[in-house]
Amino acid sequence: MTGKREDRVVRTRENLEKALLPILIFAPSVTVLCWIAAWIFRDEFVFKAVLIGLGCFAVVLGVAACLLVLLKRIDRGG
């Protein structure tokens, strides 16, 4: 009995990791690229501000996506 439950928990954890991995790769990489580009174009205020905002938006979007995936997984019962 407990073997089936443990297998299900392991499969659920693997599926969760597969769902979160692209988010956890995408958000930090886009943020770093945007902030580096903002530093390179630091003399152009408007362009720099847009790149900094875009980098922050990627972080917020990544956190929201992670929370959404986690909440959906928890609502379904694992």
Side-chain angles (χ1 to χ4, degrees), residues 3 40 49 56 61 63:
I40 291 171
C56 292
L61 188 66
V63 169

Side-chain angles (χ1 to χ4, degrees), residues 19-44:
L20 290 177
L21 186 63
I23 298 167
L24 296 176
I25 291 172
F26 170 75
S29 62
V30 167
T31 300
V32 168
L33 288 174
C34 285
W35 289 349
I36 288 172
W39 182 77
I40 291 171
F41 295 105
R42 63 185 174 267
D43 294 333
E44 298 292 327

Side-chain angles (χ1 to χ4, degrees), residues 58-72:
V59 170
V60 170
L61 188 66
V63 169
C66 285
L67 289 175
L68 180 69
V69 168
L70 290 173
L71 288 175
K72 292 293 183 182

